[in-house]
């Protein structure tokens, strides 16, 4: 079923059934516009005098019941141990996940508390008035550091998938067309490199795997960050989430024409991120030195995600300028997402 077909099923049946399961009959339930690559239907549930809730309906058939339970149990664990996350709300039956069948198709419903505050984009990328933006950088690192520290002590009942269950040589062969043979070779080499890194409890555990300003809200009264959307969470290297934070930082300086100024900004930005991170947990210097490799891993995730979305929608591959930029970085071994390289253009950031 495609997205529009699922919306129709929700309107005709699912929302009514889910409302009874979660006691939402008196709530106004409105569909939230999807972000690019969104794989679920997400609804805002509002009622005067009650806290707003977020309803998620998952309909793609590429995940099992255990995958969803693994995600929700992890969120619940983080919340109960002081992690700043939007907690899961159980149904009236006491279930953190409800499985619903309709016309031979299976849907999974889950309900969450709405995070306090709002996303940066909703505030026009303006931070708290009268407060230095460096507080935000520090809090990004600190919030992530707390989640990772808790992950080091986490013993799941239902395990999420391992990074290498998906990102492996066989899947790359299957997904990436032979016309991009050099890219396939570079991706396989990258996976081999990542596999050789130390997977001790201090380096490898549950990660968010999509830690960016689209997946957390900020309380603009005090700067507290609340994280959500653990839909891609998996067992992986903690450095991957830190690399995601590094790539997020380029947005603050991407229109600067001087590469030396871009480089200095990114060094200062990431230093503050790490100060916040290390206030909650440690990260070994020998892993930090591998930051360029993990930035390449985030590029690999973007490329794989693009091909998966084309596969799910049955669209023909589209090699746009942004996609070809990422391919160029990997094929030509250009580090740091090309941000300091001569091919980078501040007039058309990350396009080739």
């Amino acid at each position: 079923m495609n997205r529009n077909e699922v919306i129709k099923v929700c309107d005709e049946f699912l929302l009514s059934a889910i409302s009874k399961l979660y006691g939402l009959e008196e709530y106004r339930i409105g569909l939230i516009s999807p972000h690019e690559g969104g794989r679920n239907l997400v609804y805002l549930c509002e009622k005067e005098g009650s806290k707003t809730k977020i309803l998620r309906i998952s309909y793609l058939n590429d995940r099992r019941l255990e995958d969803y339970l693994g995600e929700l149990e992890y969120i619940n664990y983080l919340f109960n141990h002081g992690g700043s996350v939007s907690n899961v709300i159980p149904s009236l039956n006491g279930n953190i996940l409800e499985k619903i069948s309709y016309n031979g198709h299976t849907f999974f419903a889950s309900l969450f508390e709405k995070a306090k505050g709002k996303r940066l984009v909703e505030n026009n990328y303006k931070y708290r008035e009268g407060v230095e933006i460096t507080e935000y950088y520090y809090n990004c690192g600190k919030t992530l550091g707390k989640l990772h520290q808790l992950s080091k002590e986490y013993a799941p009942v239902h395990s999420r998938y391992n990074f290498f269950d998906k990102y492996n040589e066989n899947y790359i062969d299957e997904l990436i067309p032979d016309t991009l043979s050099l890219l396939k070779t570079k991706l396989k080499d990258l996976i081999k490199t990542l596999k050789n890194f130390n997977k001790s409890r201090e380096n490898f555990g549950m990660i968010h795997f999509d830690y960016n300003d689209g997946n957390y809200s900020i309380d603009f009264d005090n700067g507290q960050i609340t994280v959500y959307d653990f839909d891609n969470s998996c067992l992986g290297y903690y450095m991957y989430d830190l690399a995601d934070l590094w790539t997020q930082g380029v947005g603050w300086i991407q229109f600067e024409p001087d590469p030396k100024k871009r480089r200095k900004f990114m060094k200062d930005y990431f230093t503050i991120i790490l100060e916040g991170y290390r206030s909650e947990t440690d990260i070994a210097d020998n892993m930090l030195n591998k930051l360029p490799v993990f930035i390449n891993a985030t590029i690999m995730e973007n490329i794989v995600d693009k091909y998966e979305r084309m596969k799910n929608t049955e669209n023909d591959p589209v090699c746009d300028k942004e996609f070809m930029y990422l391919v160029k970085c990997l094929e030509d071994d250009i580090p740091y997402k090309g941000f300091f390289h001569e091919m980078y253009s501040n007039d058309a950031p990350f396009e080739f």
Side-chain angles (χ1 to χ4, degrees), residues 151-265:
S151 292
K152 293 173 184 179
E153 304 159 9
Y154 181 50
V157 176
H158 295 87
S159 293
R160 289 284 284 180
Y161 71 91
N162 188 300
F163 175 89
F164 295 107
D165 290 341
K166 176 174 179 178
Y167 296 92
N168 57 66
E169 293 92 330
N170 290 337
Y171 191 51
I172 294 301
D173 261 336
E174 174 189 327
L175 190 68
I176 307 300
D178 291 336
T179 51
L180 292 171
S181 58
L182 179 56
L183 174 64
K184 291 178 78 162
T185 299
K186 294 293 184 178
L187 289 174
K188 290 179 186 178
D189 289 344
L190 174 59
I191 290 168
K192 289 176 184 175
T193 299
L194 290 166
K195 281 182 176 178
N196 286 328
F197 293 161
N198 188 311
K199 298 182 185 67
S200 70
R201 182 178 286 266
E202 290 300 308
N203 297 325
F204 195 91
M206 280 295 291
I207 59 176
H208 186 280
F209 205 61
D210 198 14
Y211 190 74
N212 62 70
D213 59 37
N215 288 331
Y216 52 71
S217 291
I218 303 167
D219 184 341
F220 284 90
D221 291 333
N222 57 27
Q224 181 175 346
I225 291 172
T226 302
V227 188
Y228 41 82
D229 198 354
F230 285 79
D231 193 39
N232 292 320
S233 59
C234 66
L235 285 163
Y237 291 105
Y238 297 124
M239 269 304 301
Y240 184 95
D241 280 347
L242 281 168
D244 254 350
L245 260 186
W246 188 95
T247 59
Q248 175 178 292
V250 302
W252 297 104
I253 195 73
Q254 63 182 345
F255 298 115
E256 168 58 52
D258 188 343
K260 291 182 179 178
K261 290 182 179 179
R262 294 199 301 270
R263 187 181 290 274
K264 182 181 185 307
F265 173 87

Side-chain angles (χ1 to χ4, degrees), residues 308-324:
E308 285 181 335
R309 280 189 279 127
M310 289 188 293
K311 182 179 178 181
N312 287 334
T313 57
E314 297 181 349
N315 290 335
D316 292 330
V318 178
C319 294
D320 55 35
K321 294 178 181 179
E322 292 179 357
F323 175 75
M324 291 311 299

